[in-house]
Amino acid sequence: MVKIKVATPVVELDGDEMTRIIWGFIKDRLILPYLDIELKYFDLGIEHRDATDDQVTIDAANAIKQYGVGVKCATITPDEARVAEFHLKKMWRSPNGTIRNILDGTIFREPIICRNVPRLVPHWTQPIVIGRHAYGDIYRATEMKVPGAGHVTLSYQPAGGGAPVTLEVHEFKGPGVAMGMHNTRASIEGFARASFNYGLARKYPVYLSTKNTILKAYDGTFKDIFAEIFEREFAEEYKKHGLTYEHRLIDDMVACALKWSGGYLWACKNYDGDVESDIVAQGFGSLGLMTSVLMSPDGKTVESEAAHGTVTRHYRDYQKGKETSTNPIASIFAWTRGLAYRGRFDGTPDVTRFAETLERVCIETVEAGHMTKDLALLVGKEQPWLNTQAFLARIDENLRAAMAAAAR
């Protein structure tokens, strides 16, 4: 079989633990036999990140900026226990956060739907894409415990001089807590453009949810910026494709999401997106069936990864030589979503078709009754399941058959 030529390199970010083991199989058995591809490899395993003082993460993110597409294995974000386990120099930041900041990216999470995997919300028959603004809000908040009676104020001092603006937050009569959080116009504009570009790519209508009736300045700024950018830069293109944009209060949007069947992009502020993406994942069945794409505001740079972690518990069993049944589908889709964008960016439809074929093979394999234990438990007690190696081998076999059929 003649390999499909990938015109531009793809940046590969390796990871940790069980997902690293699976990642290697996917690359060697499901990608490289079919694609003539140059991979710019970066090892984001926790020990190598520590050895490079995390410079490797910065270098990887800049490489994604250069080449336009990255695919990422799940990685460890260390806590105190991990620092001790790996004898790390310090508690390094999440590599995902570093990459998001460098790419100015918005996270888009979307379920992978298999008809035989039960959904907690049965009428969710089409994907719900959650766009999470990955900057600011409570994740960059300044907080304090107020020790006793006193005034907490919020003040702004213009950089060029002039009178400060001071607002009273609360006059405390006793102990309490206080917090200040922020966002920037530039970041919100990037969030809006990425959301509208992703909506165009998926041909989905876009909804932004805020609570601007309460946070008139803070959430109202999100609402106003989205409306301005849509009308100025996207309205005509959306109309051409029969797509729409609408702002809704978040409580109304949550109610609508439960009633609707899917098929839209829901743009959420940072914390809202953190919560809603997990709700959507469980509503569709499993976090193991969830894609995650980071997109730059102009829609021309993407990084694709699995939405779950490194599956530490299974890795401990793997180290002991025990059998595991780890779901690799989200890791496979990390490759395929990145490759699909590579094909679109380069104008090489064969690359995009290959990615779509591998995705279809994964779904059809599960729908034929071949799956890992996590999905089998959702289907029912009588559903047989395969171990990690056997399931990957079945995917490998089915992909070979699909590619041979396509070549005839």
Side-chain angles (χ1 to χ4, degrees), residues 45-85:
I46 186 62
E47 290 167 304
H48 188 63
R49 283 161 47 210
D50 188 65
T52 64
D53 293 333
D54 211 28
Q55 182 63 39
V56 65
T57 305
I58 297 168
D59 293 344
N62 285 322
I64 296 171
K65 284 183 76 171
Q66 178 182 352
Y67 294 104
V69 174
V71 293
K72 181 179 174 296
C73 181
T75 48
I76 291 170
T77 299
D79 55 12
E80 291 88 346
R82 293 295 204 166
V83 170
E85 177 185 350

Short mmCIF file of all heavy atoms in Angstrom, two decimals, residues 45-85:
data_model
loop_
_atom_site.label_atom_id
_atom_site.label_comp_id
_atom_site.label_asym_id
_atom_site.label_seq_id
_atom_site.Cartn_x
_atom_site.Cartn_y
_atom_site.Cartn_z
N GLY A 45 7.07 13.88 28.89
CA GLY A 45 7.03 13.06 30.09
C GLY A 45 7.58 13.86 31.26
O GLY A 45 8.50 14.68 31.11
N ILE A 46 7.06 13.62 32.45
CA ILE A 46 7.36 14.47 33.61
C ILE A 46 8.84 14.51 33.93
O ILE A 46 9.38 15.56 34.31
CB ILE A 46 6.53 14.02 34.84
CG1 ILE A 46 6.72 14.99 36.01
CG2 ILE A 46 6.87 12.60 35.25
CD1 ILE A 46 6.24 16.39 35.73
N GLU A 47 9.56 13.40 33.74
CA GLU A 47 10.98 13.38 34.08
C GLU A 47 11.80 14.23 33.10
O GLU A 47 12.74 14.92 33.51
CB GLU A 47 11.48 11.94 34.13
CG GLU A 47 10.91 11.18 35.31
CD GLU A 47 11.12 9.68 35.22
OE1 GLU A 47 10.69 9.08 34.21
OE2 GLU A 47 11.70 9.10 36.16
N HIS A 48 11.42 14.21 31.83
CA HIS A 48 12.15 15.03 30.85
C HIS A 48 11.81 16.50 31.02
O HIS A 48 12.67 17.37 30.86
CB HIS A 48 11.83 14.58 29.43
CG HIS A 48 12.69 15.24 28.39
ND1 HIS A 48 14.06 15.08 28.35
CD2 HIS A 48 12.38 16.08 27.37
CE1 HIS A 48 14.55 15.78 27.34
NE2 HIS A 48 13.56 16.41 26.73
N ARG A 49 10.56 16.79 31.35
CA ARG A 49 10.20 18.18 31.63
C ARG A 49 11.02 18.71 32.81
O ARG A 49 11.48 19.86 32.81
CB ARG A 49 8.70 18.30 31.91
CG ARG A 49 7.86 18.26 30.63
CD ARG A 49 6.41 17.92 30.87
NE ARG A 49 5.84 18.69 31.95
CZ ARG A 49 4.86 18.25 32.74
NH1 ARG A 49 4.36 17.03 32.59
NH2 ARG A 49 4.39 19.02 33.69
N ASP A 50 11.19 17.88 33.82
CA ASP A 50 11.98 18.29 34.98
C ASP A 50 13.44 18.49 34.60
O ASP A 50 14.07 19.47 35.03
CB ASP A 50 11.85 17.21 36.08
CG ASP A 50 12.47 17.64 37.39
OD1 ASP A 50 11.95 18.60 38.01
OD2 ASP A 50 13.48 17.03 37.81
N ALA A 51 13.96 17.59 33.77
CA ALA A 51 15.38 17.69 33.38
C ALA A 51 15.65 18.94 32.57
O ALA A 51 16.76 19.50 32.62
CB ALA A 51 15.78 16.44 32.58
N THR A 52 14.65 19.42 31.84
CA THR A 52 14.84 20.61 31.00
C THR A 52 14.28 21.87 31.66
O THR A 52 14.17 22.91 31.01
CB THR A 52 14.14 20.43 29.64
OG1 THR A 52 12.72 20.32 29.84
CG2 THR A 52 14.66 19.19 28.92
N ASP A 53 13.94 21.77 32.95
CA ASP A 53 13.29 22.89 33.66
C ASP A 53 12.04 23.36 32.91
O ASP A 53 11.73 24.54 32.86
CB ASP A 53 14.27 24.05 33.86
CG ASP A 53 15.39 23.70 34.82
OD1 ASP A 53 15.18 22.83 35.69
OD2 ASP A 53 16.49 24.26 34.68
N ASP A 54 11.36 22.40 32.31
CA ASP A 54 10.10 22.60 31.57
C ASP A 54 10.28 23.41 30.29
O ASP A 54 9.30 23.81 29.66
CB ASP A 54 9.02 23.24 32.44
CG ASP A 54 7.62 22.78 32.02
OD1 ASP A 54 7.48 21.67 31.49
OD2 ASP A 54 6.66 23.54 32.22
N GLN A 55 11.52 23.63 29.88
CA GLN A 55 11.76 24.35 28.61
C GLN A 55 11.20 23.56 27.44
O GLN A 55 10.77 24.14 26.44
CB GLN A 55 13.26 24.58 28.42
CG GLN A 55 13.62 25.36 27.16
CD GLN A 55 13.06 26.78 27.15
OE1 GLN A 55 13.05 27.46 28.17
NE2 GLN A 55 12.59 27.23 25.98
N VAL A 56 11.18 22.22 27.56
CA VAL A 56 10.67 21.39 26.47
C VAL A 56 9.21 21.71 26.16
O VAL A 56 8.79 21.66 25.00
CB VAL A 56 10.85 19.88 26.79
CG1 VAL A 56 10.00 19.45 27.99
CG2 VAL A 56 10.52 19.03 25.57
N THR A 57 8.43 22.06 27.19
CA THR A 57 7.03 22.41 26.96
C THR A 57 6.92 23.70 26.16
O THR A 57 6.11 23.81 25.23
CB THR A 57 6.28 22.54 28.29
OG1 THR A 57 6.44 21.33 29.05
CG2 THR A 57 4.80 22.79 28.06
N ILE A 58 7.73 24.68 26.51
CA ILE A 58 7.75 25.96 25.79
C ILE A 58 8.19 25.74 24.35
O ILE A 58 7.59 26.28 23.40
CB ILE A 58 8.67 26.96 26.51
CG1 ILE A 58 8.12 27.26 27.91
CG2 ILE A 58 8.83 28.24 25.69
CD1 ILE A 58 9.09 28.01 28.80
N ASP A 59 9.23 24.93 24.16
CA ASP A 59 9.72 24.65 22.81
C ASP A 59 8.66 23.94 21.98
O ASP A 59 8.49 24.22 20.79
CB ASP A 59 10.99 23.79 22.87
CG ASP A 59 12.17 24.52 23.49
OD1 ASP A 59 12.11 25.77 23.58
OD2 ASP A 59 13.13 23.84 23.90
N ALA A 60 7.94 23.01 22.61
CA ALA A 60 6.89 22.28 21.90
C ALA A 60 5.77 23.21 21.46
O ALA A 60 5.27 23.14 20.32
CB ALA A 60 6.33 21.16 22.78
N ALA A 61 5.37 24.10 22.36
CA ALA A 61 4.29 25.05 22.03
C ALA A 61 4.72 25.96 20.89
O ALA A 61 3.92 26.24 19.97
CB ALA A 61 3.92 25.86 23.26
N ASN A 62 5.96 26.42 20.90
CA ASN A 62 6.44 27.28 19.82
C ASN A 62 6.54 26.52 18.51
O ASN A 62 6.32 27.10 17.43
CB ASN A 62 7.79 27.89 20.19
CG ASN A 62 7.65 29.01 21.23
OD1 ASN A 62 6.70 29.78 21.18
ND2 ASN A 62 8.57 29.08 22.17
N ALA A 63 6.85 25.23 18.58
CA ALA A 63 6.87 24.41 17.36
C ALA A 63 5.46 24.28 16.78
O ALA A 63 5.28 24.30 15.55
CB ALA A 63 7.45 23.03 17.67
N ILE A 64 4.46 24.15 17.64
CA ILE A 64 3.07 24.09 17.16
C ILE A 64 2.71 25.40 16.47
O ILE A 64 2.04 25.41 15.42
CB ILE A 64 2.11 23.77 18.32
CG1 ILE A 64 2.38 22.38 18.90
CG2 ILE A 64 0.64 23.85 17.84
CD1 ILE A 64 1.62 22.08 20.17
N LYS A 65 3.15 26.53 17.05
CA LYS A 65 2.93 27.82 16.40
C LYS A 65 3.58 27.85 15.01
O LYS A 65 3.02 28.40 14.06
CB LYS A 65 3.50 28.97 17.25
CG LYS A 65 2.68 29.33 18.46
CD LYS A 65 3.25 30.52 19.20
CE LYS A 65 2.96 31.82 18.49
NZ LYS A 65 3.34 32.99 19.32
N GLN A 66 4.76 27.25 14.90
CA GLN A 66 5.48 27.26 13.63
C GLN A 66 4.82 26.39 12.58
O GLN A 66 4.65 26.82 11.42
CB GLN A 66 6.92 26.79 13.85
CG GLN A 66 7.75 26.74 12.57
CD GLN A 66 9.17 26.21 12.83
OE1 GLN A 66 9.58 26.02 13.98
NE2 GLN A 66 9.91 25.98 11.76
N TYR A 67 4.41 25.18 12.98
CA TYR A 67 3.92 24.21 11.98
C TYR A 67 2.39 24.15 11.89
O TYR A 67 1.86 23.59 10.93
CB TYR A 67 4.49 22.82 12.27
CG TYR A 67 5.98 22.76 12.09
CD1 TYR A 67 6.83 22.73 13.19
CD2 TYR A 67 6.54 22.75 10.82
CE1 TYR A 67 8.21 22.68 13.02
CE2 TYR A 67 7.92 22.70 10.64
CZ TYR A 67 8.74 22.67 11.75
OH TYR A 67 10.11 22.63 11.58
N GLY A 68 1.69 24.67 12.89
CA GLY A 68 0.25 24.79 12.80
C GLY A 68 -0.56 23.67 13.40
O GLY A 68 -1.74 23.86 13.70
N VAL A 69 0.03 22.48 13.60
CA VAL A 69 -0.71 21.33 14.14
C VAL A 69 0.16 20.57 15.12
O VAL A 69 1.31 20.24 14.82
CB VAL A 69 -1.18 20.38 13.02
CG1 VAL A 69 -1.83 19.13 13.61
CG2 VAL A 69 -2.16 21.07 12.08
N GLY A 70 -0.42 20.27 16.28
CA GLY A 70 0.24 19.42 17.26
C GLY A 70 -0.70 18.34 17.74
O GLY A 70 -1.92 18.55 17.77
N VAL A 71 -0.16 17.18 18.09
CA VAL A 71 -0.94 16.11 18.70
C VAL A 71 -0.28 15.76 20.02
O VAL A 71 0.95 15.60 20.08
CB VAL A 71 -1.06 14.87 17.78
CG1 VAL A 71 -1.89 15.20 16.55
CG2 VAL A 71 0.30 14.34 17.35
N LYS A 72 -1.06 15.65 21.07
CA LYS A 72 -0.49 15.54 22.42
C LYS A 72 -1.03 14.35 23.18
O LYS A 72 -2.25 14.16 23.28
CB LYS A 72 -0.75 16.82 23.21
CG LYS A 72 -0.17 16.82 24.62
CD LYS A 72 -0.46 18.12 25.35
CE LYS A 72 -0.01 18.05 26.80
NZ LYS A 72 -0.78 17.03 27.57
N CYS A 73 -0.12 13.58 23.76
CA CYS A 73 -0.46 12.52 24.70
C CYS A 73 -0.77 13.14 26.06
O CYS A 73 -0.33 14.25 26.38
CB CYS A 73 0.73 11.57 24.81
SG CYS A 73 0.51 10.16 25.91
N ALA A 74 -1.55 12.44 26.89
CA ALA A 74 -1.86 12.94 28.23
C ALA A 74 -0.58 13.02 29.07
O ALA A 74 0.32 12.19 28.94
CB ALA A 74 -2.88 12.03 28.90
N THR A 75 -0.51 14.03 29.93
CA THR A 75 0.67 14.29 30.74
C THR A 75 0.30 14.46 32.21
O THR A 75 -0.84 14.77 32.54
CB THR A 75 1.40 15.55 30.26
OG1 THR A 75 0.44 16.61 30.10
CG2 THR A 75 2.11 15.33 28.94
N ILE A 76 1.30 14.30 33.07
CA ILE A 76 1.13 14.48 34.50
C ILE A 76 1.27 15.96 34.86
O ILE A 76 2.21 16.62 34.41
CB ILE A 76 2.17 13.66 35.28
CG1 ILE A 76 1.90 12.16 35.15
CG2 ILE A 76 2.20 14.07 36.76
CD1 ILE A 76 3.04 11.30 35.69
N THR A 77 0.33 16.47 35.64
CA THR A 77 0.51 17.76 36.30
C THR A 77 0.83 17.44 37.76
O THR A 77 -0.03 16.96 38.49
CB THR A 77 -0.75 18.63 36.21
OG1 THR A 77 -1.04 18.89 34.83
CG2 THR A 77 -0.55 19.95 36.94
N PRO A 78 2.06 17.66 38.20
CA PRO A 78 2.48 17.13 39.50
C PRO A 78 1.86 17.86 40.69
O PRO A 78 1.70 19.08 40.67
CB PRO A 78 4.00 17.31 39.48
CG PRO A 78 4.23 18.44 38.52
CD PRO A 78 3.16 18.33 37.48
N ASP A 79 1.49 17.07 41.70
CA ASP A 79 1.16 17.60 43.02
C ASP A 79 2.30 17.22 43.97
O ASP A 79 3.36 16.76 43.53
CB ASP A 79 -0.19 17.05 43.50
CG ASP A 79 -0.23 15.52 43.50
OD1 ASP A 79 0.84 14.87 43.36
OD2 ASP A 79 -1.33 14.96 43.64
N GLU A 80 2.10 17.41 45.26
CA GLU A 80 3.18 17.13 46.21
C GLU A 80 3.63 15.67 46.14
O GLU A 80 4.83 15.37 46.21
CB GLU A 80 2.72 17.46 47.65
CG GLU A 80 2.55 18.94 47.93
CD GLU A 80 1.15 19.44 47.59
OE1 GLU A 80 0.39 18.71 46.91
OE2 GLU A 80 0.81 20.58 47.99
N ALA A 81 2.66 14.76 45.99
CA ALA A 81 3.00 13.34 45.94
C ALA A 81 3.83 13.01 44.71
O ALA A 81 4.79 12.21 44.78
CB ALA A 81 1.73 12.50 45.95
N ARG A 82 3.52 13.63 43.58
CA ARG A 82 4.27 13.37 42.35
C ARG A 82 5.67 13.97 42.43
O ARG A 82 6.63 13.41 41.90
CB ARG A 82 3.52 13.97 41.15
CG ARG A 82 2.19 13.28 40.86
CD ARG A 82 2.39 11.85 40.43
NE ARG A 82 1.25 11.41 39.64
CZ ARG A 82 1.24 10.32 38.90
NH1 ARG A 82 2.32 9.54 38.85
NH2 ARG A 82 0.16 9.96 38.21
N VAL A 83 5.81 15.12 43.07
CA VAL A 83 7.13 15.72 43.26
C VAL A 83 8.02 14.75 44.03
O VAL A 83 9.20 14.53 43.66
CB VAL A 83 7.02 17.07 44.01
CG1 VAL A 83 8.41 17.56 44.41
CG2 VAL A 83 6.33 18.11 43.13
N ALA A 84 7.47 14.14 45.07
CA ALA A 84 8.24 13.17 45.86
C ALA A 84 8.51 11.89 45.05
O ALA A 84 9.62 11.36 45.08
CB ALA A 84 7.48 12.83 47.15
N GLU A 85 7.49 11.41 44.31
CA GLU A 85 7.62 10.16 43.54
C GLU A 85 8.75 10.25 42.51
O GLU A 85 9.54 9.33 42.35
CB GLU A 85 6.31 9.85 42.85
CG GLU A 85 6.35 8.60 41.97
CD GLU A 85 5.06 8.38 41.20
OE1 GLU A 85 4.06 9.08 41.48
OE2 GLU A 85 5.06 7.50 40.31
#
